[in-house]
Amino acid sequence: MARSDVVWSEQGTTPDRIEAALRELLIEVHTHKQDAVPARVLNMIAFVDRAWSGEIANRLRGVGRYHASRMVVLAYEPKRERLDARVTISSDEGERPPGELALLRETVVVELGDRHLDDLLTIADPLVVPDLPTLLWSPHGHRDIAEALMPLAQAVLYDSVGEPDPREALDVAAALTKQAYVVDLAWLRSTPWRERVAAMFDPPWLRPELRLLARVEVRHHPASRAAASLLLGWLASRLGWRTERLMAHGEELVGKARGGRQDVSLRLRHAPQLQVPGLEGLTVETAAGRSLSLDRGPGGLRARFGSAGEQPREWTIPGASRGETGVLGEGIRQALLRDPTYVPALDCARTMIA
């Protein structure tokens, strides 16, 4: 799809000058394209290290139609003295159905330094569209700095896998839920796994066996214990298990949860052979002898399902992973939705890896 961009930039600028440039560019675009209107759904503020801003830009380009209506990138360079800015207004051209309006999306990149950190609210506030929800993202950490922007945000994009200590990662997520709606990318990456487990027990004749689960094992990259515990927490919270602290056994965490009819054996196991962060596999077994295993493999998830005394069935579930750009796009979309299952899963996960 062809794109048409209008650009303004200025060195040594001010927030008022940037905001005025946004208004003037929108007027200019509308004068020449009366069938173009600004998208007005979501603001997004990203506080990033300027040295890595290119990587973040590449990730954002991949989100496609989930791009925020107005994207404000605060590119931080510690020793920078001057406030520089670049405003781009983009519109899609050429492939719109007849009579359909073209949507304009605005991107504002502000380069700033240490001397501007005390005025972050003053800089960012004029640049977001009033009366729209705002999503805040700080992919390179800087929690203390991002905290200053929280008064502008109704949702926060966070990644539990980004913290070296899984317990600290979950504690940070829990603290953020007290201030805004949290979209956890580690949680979204587990969506295919949760969907497949739920689908496997969807037939009415199998649903009663959810209450008979006897063993759950999650295999994960060594850096992804937080993500694995969230998956366990999801099962525990949805099935009403009473969770307890899991105990270290070598590189594993093992323990039990108390179900309605019986104890459930739980295990988080490292999968050092996994080359990328995330989940490697999941196995659930019921007291009736039924077993479901899901494992990451070429082209999707490799599923294995069977009952005691029977030959298990095996098949591949294609396209189970969205990839990182797909996960980020889904994270932006989720800022406008509300997933009621995340916080209960988070609470259970924090209990298990206390």
PDB file of all heavy atoms in Angstrom, residues 62-86:
ATOM      1  N   GLY A  62       6.184  -2.878  12.290  1.00  0.00           N
ATOM      2  CA  GLY A  62       5.604  -4.187  12.039  1.00  0.00           C
ATOM      3  C   GLY A  62       4.223  -4.402  12.625  1.00  0.00           C
ATOM      4  O   GLY A  62       3.637  -5.460  12.415  1.00  0.00           O
ATOM      5  N   VAL A  63       3.684  -3.414  13.354  1.00  0.00           N
ATOM      6  CA  VAL A  63       2.394  -3.645  14.014  1.00  0.00           C
ATOM      7  C   VAL A  63       1.220  -3.417  13.074  1.00  0.00           C
ATOM      8  O   VAL A  63       0.076  -3.714  13.420  1.00  0.00           O
ATOM      9  CB  VAL A  63       2.243  -2.764  15.280  1.00  0.00           C
ATOM     10  CG1 VAL A  63       3.382  -3.018  16.241  1.00  0.00           C
ATOM     11  CG2 VAL A  63       2.154  -1.283  14.926  1.00  0.00           C
ATOM     12  N   GLY A  64       1.491  -2.879  11.876  1.00  0.00           N
ATOM     13  CA  GLY A  64       0.438  -2.742  10.869  1.00  0.00           C
ATOM     14  C   GLY A  64      -0.719  -1.883  11.320  1.00  0.00           C
ATOM     15  O   GLY A  64      -0.543  -0.771  11.816  1.00  0.00           O
ATOM     16  N   ARG A  65      -1.923  -2.406  11.162  1.00  0.00           N
ATOM     17  CA  ARG A  65      -3.131  -1.620  11.441  1.00  0.00           C
ATOM     18  C   ARG A  65      -3.325  -1.315  12.912  1.00  0.00           C
ATOM     19  O   ARG A  65      -4.225  -0.551  13.264  1.00  0.00           O
ATOM     20  CB  ARG A  65      -4.356  -2.354  10.893  1.00  0.00           C
ATOM     21  CG  ARG A  65      -4.610  -3.720  11.513  1.00  0.00           C
ATOM     22  CD  ARG A  65      -5.614  -4.491  10.680  1.00  0.00           C
ATOM     23  NE  ARG A  65      -5.863  -5.822  11.204  1.00  0.00           N
ATOM     24  CZ  ARG A  65      -6.913  -6.137  11.961  1.00  0.00           C
ATOM     25  NH1 ARG A  65      -7.796  -5.220  12.295  1.00  0.00           N
ATOM     26  NH2 ARG A  65      -7.074  -7.386  12.380  1.00  0.00           N
ATOM     27  N   TYR A  66      -2.497  -1.905  13.788  1.00  0.00           N
ATOM     28  CA  TYR A  66      -2.624  -1.616  15.216  1.00  0.00           C
ATOM     29  C   TYR A  66      -1.757  -0.445  15.662  1.00  0.00           C
ATOM     30  O   TYR A  66      -1.629  -0.178  16.856  1.00  0.00           O
ATOM     31  CB  TYR A  66      -2.265  -2.867  16.033  1.00  0.00           C
ATOM     32  CG  TYR A  66      -3.218  -4.016  15.812  1.00  0.00           C
ATOM     33  CD1 TYR A  66      -2.745  -5.314  15.619  1.00  0.00           C
ATOM     34  CD2 TYR A  66      -4.595  -3.807  15.792  1.00  0.00           C
ATOM     35  CE1 TYR A  66      -3.623  -6.364  15.410  1.00  0.00           C
ATOM     36  CE2 TYR A  66      -5.471  -4.845  15.582  1.00  0.00           C
ATOM     37  CZ  TYR A  66      -4.983  -6.131  15.398  1.00  0.00           C
ATOM     38  OH  TYR A  66      -5.855  -7.169  15.185  1.00  0.00           O
ATOM     39  N   HIS A  67      -1.164   0.257  14.702  1.00  0.00           N
ATOM     40  CA  HIS A  67      -0.360   1.432  15.035  1.00  0.00           C
ATOM     41  C   HIS A  67      -1.233   2.451  15.761  1.00  0.00           C
ATOM     42  O   HIS A  67      -2.387   2.675  15.402  1.00  0.00           O
ATOM     43  CB  HIS A  67       0.209   2.049  13.754  1.00  0.00           C
ATOM     44  CG  HIS A  67       1.334   3.000  13.990  1.00  0.00           C
ATOM     45  ND1 HIS A  67       1.140   4.277  14.471  1.00  0.00           N
ATOM     46  CD2 HIS A  67       2.667   2.871  13.824  1.00  0.00           C
ATOM     47  CE1 HIS A  67       2.305   4.896  14.577  1.00  0.00           C
ATOM     48  NE2 HIS A  67       3.248   4.047  14.198  1.00  0.00           N
ATOM     49  N   ALA A  68      -0.692   3.067  16.818  1.00  0.00           N
ATOM     50  CA  ALA A  68      -1.451   4.064  17.572  1.00  0.00           C
ATOM     51  C   ALA A  68      -1.814   5.246  16.679  1.00  0.00           C
ATOM     52  O   ALA A  68      -1.095   5.582  15.734  1.00  0.00           O
ATOM     53  CB  ALA A  68      -0.639   4.545  18.770  1.00  0.00           C
ATOM     54  N   SER A  69      -2.945   5.903  16.985  1.00  0.00           N
ATOM     55  CA  SER A  69      -3.365   7.056  16.203  1.00  0.00           C
ATOM     56  C   SER A  69      -2.324   8.163  16.265  1.00  0.00           C
ATOM     57  O   SER A  69      -1.982   8.769  15.251  1.00  0.00           O
ATOM     58  CB  SER A  69      -4.706   7.581  16.723  1.00  0.00           C
ATOM     59  OG  SER A  69      -5.655   6.553  16.785  1.00  0.00           O
ATOM     60  N   ARG A  70      -1.847   8.442  17.467  1.00  0.00           N
ATOM     61  CA  ARG A  70      -0.743   9.390  17.626  1.00  0.00           C
ATOM     62  C   ARG A  70       0.339   8.739  18.472  1.00  0.00           C
ATOM     63  O   ARG A  70       0.104   8.352  19.610  1.00  0.00           O
ATOM     64  CB  ARG A  70      -1.199  10.696  18.266  1.00  0.00           C
ATOM     65  CG  ARG A  70      -0.041  11.699  18.428  1.00  0.00           C
ATOM     66  CD  ARG A  70      -0.495  13.059  18.899  1.00  0.00           C
ATOM     67  NE  ARG A  70      -1.221  13.766  17.853  1.00  0.00           N
ATOM     68  CZ  ARG A  70      -1.722  14.997  18.014  1.00  0.00           C
ATOM     69  NH1 ARG A  70      -1.570  15.637  19.176  1.00  0.00           N
ATOM     70  NH2 ARG A  70      -2.374  15.575  17.028  1.00  0.00           N
ATOM     71  N   MET A  71       1.511   8.623  17.889  1.00  0.00           N
ATOM     72  CA  MET A  71       2.659   7.991  18.537  1.00  0.00           C
ATOM     73  C   MET A  71       3.645   9.072  18.955  1.00  0.00           C
ATOM     74  O   MET A  71       4.130   9.827  18.108  1.00  0.00           O
ATOM     75  CB  MET A  71       3.317   7.022  17.550  1.00  0.00           C
ATOM     76  CG  MET A  71       4.500   6.275  18.114  1.00  0.00           C
ATOM     77  SD  MET A  71       3.974   4.968  19.213  1.00  0.00           S
ATOM     78  CE  MET A  71       5.425   4.841  20.246  1.00  0.00           C
ATOM     79  N   VAL A  72       3.941   9.154  20.239  1.00  0.00           N
ATOM     80  CA  VAL A  72       4.904  10.119  20.758  1.00  0.00           C
ATOM     81  C   VAL A  72       6.105   9.335  21.281  1.00  0.00           C
ATOM     82  O   VAL A  72       5.989   8.577  22.253  1.00  0.00           O
ATOM     83  CB  VAL A  72       4.292  10.977  21.881  1.00  0.00           C
ATOM     84  CG1 VAL A  72       5.334  11.963  22.417  1.00  0.00           C
ATOM     85  CG2 VAL A  72       3.062  11.725  21.379  1.00  0.00           C
ATOM     86  N   VAL A  73       7.257   9.503  20.635  1.00  0.00           N
ATOM     87  CA  VAL A  73       8.482   8.822  21.031  1.00  0.00           C
ATOM     88  C   VAL A  73       9.390   9.826  21.727  1.00  0.00           C
ATOM     89  O   VAL A  73       9.788  10.826  21.118  1.00  0.00           O
ATOM     90  CB  VAL A  73       9.208   8.209  19.819  1.00  0.00           C
ATOM     91  CG1 VAL A  73      10.500   7.522  20.264  1.00  0.00           C
ATOM     92  CG2 VAL A  73       8.304   7.221  19.093  1.00  0.00           C
ATOM     93  N   LEU A  74       9.694   9.589  22.991  1.00  0.00           N
ATOM     94  CA  LEU A  74      10.633  10.411  23.738  1.00  0.00           C
ATOM     95  C   LEU A  74      11.966   9.681  23.731  1.00  0.00           C
ATOM     96  O   LEU A  74      12.147   8.683  24.435  1.00  0.00           O
ATOM     97  CB  LEU A  74      10.138  10.630  25.164  1.00  0.00           C
ATOM     98  CG  LEU A  74       8.733  11.259  25.281  1.00  0.00           C
ATOM     99  CD1 LEU A  74       8.330  11.378  26.747  1.00  0.00           C
ATOM    100  CD2 LEU A  74       8.675  12.609  24.595  1.00  0.00           C
ATOM    101  N   ALA A  75      12.899  10.145  22.891  1.00  0.00           N
ATOM    102  CA  ALA A  75      14.187   9.480  22.684  1.00  0.00           C
ATOM    103  C   ALA A  75      15.220  10.124  23.603  1.00  0.00           C
ATOM    104  O   ALA A  75      15.618  11.272  23.395  1.00  0.00           O
ATOM    105  CB  ALA A  75      14.609   9.591  21.225  1.00  0.00           C
ATOM    106  N   TYR A  76      15.663   9.366  24.587  1.00  0.00           N
ATOM    107  CA  TYR A  76      16.495   9.894  25.683  1.00  0.00           C
ATOM    108  C   TYR A  76      17.978   9.662  25.405  1.00  0.00           C
ATOM    109  O   TYR A  76      18.407   8.552  25.121  1.00  0.00           O
ATOM    110  CB  TYR A  76      16.073   9.203  26.977  1.00  0.00           C
ATOM    111  CG  TYR A  76      16.984   9.416  28.152  1.00  0.00           C
ATOM    112  CD1 TYR A  76      17.186  10.684  28.691  1.00  0.00           C
ATOM    113  CD2 TYR A  76      17.640   8.335  28.743  1.00  0.00           C
ATOM    114  CE1 TYR A  76      18.028  10.873  29.784  1.00  0.00           C
ATOM    115  CE2 TYR A  76      18.470   8.510  29.830  1.00  0.00           C
ATOM    116  CZ  TYR A  76      18.655   9.780  30.345  1.00  0.00           C
ATOM    117  OH  TYR A  76      19.486   9.958  31.423  1.00  0.00           O
ATOM    118  N   GLU A  77      18.744  10.744  25.482  1.00  0.00           N
ATOM    119  CA  GLU A  77      20.195  10.703  25.357  1.00  0.00           C
ATOM    120  C   GLU A  77      20.764  11.514  26.524  1.00  0.00           C
ATOM    121  O   GLU A  77      20.577  12.736  26.573  1.00  0.00           O
ATOM    122  CB  GLU A  77      20.631  11.296  24.025  1.00  0.00           C
ATOM    123  CG  GLU A  77      22.119  11.169  23.744  1.00  0.00           C
ATOM    124  CD  GLU A  77      22.490  11.724  22.382  1.00  0.00           C
ATOM    125  OE1 GLU A  77      21.748  12.573  21.845  1.00  0.00           O
ATOM    126  OE2 GLU A  77      23.532  11.312  21.850  1.00  0.00           O
ATOM    127  N   PRO A  78      21.424  10.872  27.495  1.00  0.00           N
ATOM    128  CA  PRO A  78      21.741  11.534  28.775  1.00  0.00           C
ATOM    129  C   PRO A  78      22.374  12.912  28.652  1.00  0.00           C
ATOM    130  O   PRO A  78      21.969  13.845  29.353  1.00  0.00           O
ATOM    131  CB  PRO A  78      22.693  10.537  29.452  1.00  0.00           C
ATOM    132  CG  PRO A  78      22.292   9.209  28.892  1.00  0.00           C
ATOM    133  CD  PRO A  78      21.880   9.468  27.479  1.00  0.00           C
ATOM    134  N   LYS A  79      23.349  13.110  27.793  1.00  0.00           N
ATOM    135  CA  LYS A  79      24.093  14.375  27.761  1.00  0.00           C
ATOM    136  C   LYS A  79      23.504  15.401  26.796  1.00  0.00           C
ATOM    137  O   LYS A  79      24.090  16.468  26.607  1.00  0.00           O
ATOM    138  CB  LYS A  79      25.557  14.100  27.406  1.00  0.00           C
ATOM    139  CG  LYS A  79      26.281  13.268  28.456  1.00  0.00           C
ATOM    140  CD  LYS A  79      27.741  13.055  28.100  1.00  0.00           C
ATOM    141  CE  LYS A  79      28.446  12.221  29.165  1.00  0.00           C
ATOM    142  NZ  LYS A  79      29.891  12.015  28.831  1.00  0.00           N
ATOM    143  N   ARG A  80      22.382  15.110  26.215  1.00  0.00           N
ATOM    144  CA  ARG A  80      21.788  16.049  25.254  1.00  0.00           C
ATOM    145  C   ARG A  80      21.311  17.309  25.972  1.00  0.00           C
ATOM    146  O   ARG A  80      20.631  17.241  26.997  1.00  0.00           O
ATOM    147  CB  ARG A  80      20.631  15.382  24.522  1.00  0.00           C
ATOM    148  CG  ARG A  80      19.831  16.324  23.628  1.00  0.00           C
ATOM    149  CD  ARG A  80      18.812  15.563  22.819  1.00  0.00           C
ATOM    150  NE  ARG A  80      19.472  14.813  21.748  1.00  0.00           N
ATOM    151  CZ  ARG A  80      19.748  15.332  20.558  1.00  0.00           C
ATOM    152  NH1 ARG A  80      19.453  16.593  20.291  1.00  0.00           N
ATOM    153  NH2 ARG A  80      20.336  14.604  19.642  1.00  0.00           N
ATOM    154  N   GLU A  81      21.639  18.455  25.404  1.00  0.00           N
ATOM    155  CA  GLU A  81      21.240  19.746  25.974  1.00  0.00           C
ATOM    156  C   GLU A  81      20.039  20.346  25.253  1.00  0.00           C
ATOM    157  O   GLU A  81      19.273  21.099  25.842  1.00  0.00           O
ATOM    158  CB  GLU A  81      22.421  20.735  25.897  1.00  0.00           C
ATOM    159  CG  GLU A  81      23.619  20.350  26.768  1.00  0.00           C
ATOM    160  CD  GLU A  81      23.314  20.497  28.251  1.00  0.00           C
ATOM    161  OE1 GLU A  81      22.530  21.405  28.606  1.00  0.00           O
ATOM    162  OE2 GLU A  81      23.830  19.696  29.044  1.00  0.00           O
ATOM    163  N   ARG A  82      19.880  19.997  23.975  1.00  0.00           N
ATOM    164  CA  ARG A  82      18.882  20.654  23.135  1.00  0.00           C
ATOM    165  C   ARG A  82      17.677  19.738  22.914  1.00  0.00           C
ATOM    166  O   ARG A  82      17.813  18.528  22.841  1.00  0.00           O
ATOM    167  CB  ARG A  82      19.537  20.999  21.794  1.00  0.00           C
ATOM    168  CG  ARG A  82      18.743  21.875  20.868  1.00  0.00           C
ATOM    169  CD  ARG A  82      19.573  22.134  19.625  1.00  0.00           C
ATOM    170  NE  ARG A  82      19.849  20.893  18.895  1.00  0.00           N
ATOM    171  CZ  ARG A  82      20.764  20.780  17.946  1.00  0.00           C
ATOM    172  NH1 ARG A  82      21.524  21.809  17.635  1.00  0.00           N
ATOM    173  NH2 ARG A  82      20.940  19.621  17.314  1.00  0.00           N
ATOM    174  N   LEU A  83      16.515  20.337  22.802  1.00  0.00           N
ATOM    175  CA  LEU A  83      15.292  19.593  22.514  1.00  0.00           C
ATOM    176  C   LEU A  83      15.043  19.664  20.999  1.00  0.00           C
ATOM    177  O   LEU A  83      14.788  20.741  20.459  1.00  0.00           O
ATOM    178  CB  LEU A  83      14.111  20.202  23.271  1.00  0.00           C
ATOM    179  CG  LEU A  83      12.861  19.326  23.438  1.00  0.00           C
ATOM    180  CD1 LEU A  83      13.128  18.201  24.418  1.00  0.00           C
ATOM    181  CD2 LEU A  83      11.690  20.180  23.919  1.00  0.00           C
ATOM    182  N   ASP A  84      15.159  18.517  20.335  1.00  0.00           N
ATOM    183  CA  ASP A  84      14.911  18.440  18.899  1.00  0.00           C
ATOM    184  C   ASP A  84      13.654  17.606  18.667  1.00  0.00           C
ATOM    185  O   ASP A  84      13.344  16.693  19.450  1.00  0.00           O
ATOM    186  CB  ASP A  84      16.085  17.804  18.163  1.00  0.00           C
ATOM    187  CG  ASP A  84      17.361  18.630  18.270  1.00  0.00           C
ATOM    188  OD1 ASP A  84      17.264  19.813  18.659  1.00  0.00           O
ATOM    189  OD2 ASP A  84      18.443  18.079  17.982  1.00  0.00           O
ATOM    190  N   ALA A  85      12.963  17.884  17.567  1.00  0.00           N
ATOM    191  CA  ALA A  85      11.716  17.155  17.307  1.00  0.00           C
ATOM    192  C   ALA A  85      11.499  16.966  15.816  1.00  0.00           C
ATOM    193  O   ALA A  85      11.970  17.749  14.983  1.00  0.00           O
ATOM    194  CB  ALA A  85      10.531  17.894  17.905  1.00  0.00           C
ATOM    195  N   ARG A  86      10.766  15.901  15.505  1.00  0.00           N
ATOM    196  CA  ARG A  86      10.368  15.594  14.132  1.00  0.00           C
ATOM    197  C   ARG A  86       8.935  15.074  14.171  1.00  0.00           C
ATOM    198  O   ARG A  86       8.623  14.157  14.943  1.00  0.00           O
ATOM    199  CB  ARG A  86      11.305  14.541  13.524  1.00  0.00           C
ATOM    200  CG  ARG A  86      10.962  14.131  12.089  1.00  0.00           C
ATOM    201  CD  ARG A  86      11.917  13.029  11.626  1.00  0.00           C
ATOM    202  NE  ARG A  86      11.595  12.554  10.293  1.00  0.00           N
ATOM    203  CZ  ARG A  86      12.099  13.044   9.184  1.00  0.00           C
ATOM    204  NH1 ARG A  86      12.958  14.056   9.245  1.00  0.00           N
ATOM    205  NH2 ARG A  86      11.768  12.546   7.999  1.00  0.00           N
TER     206      ARG A  86
END
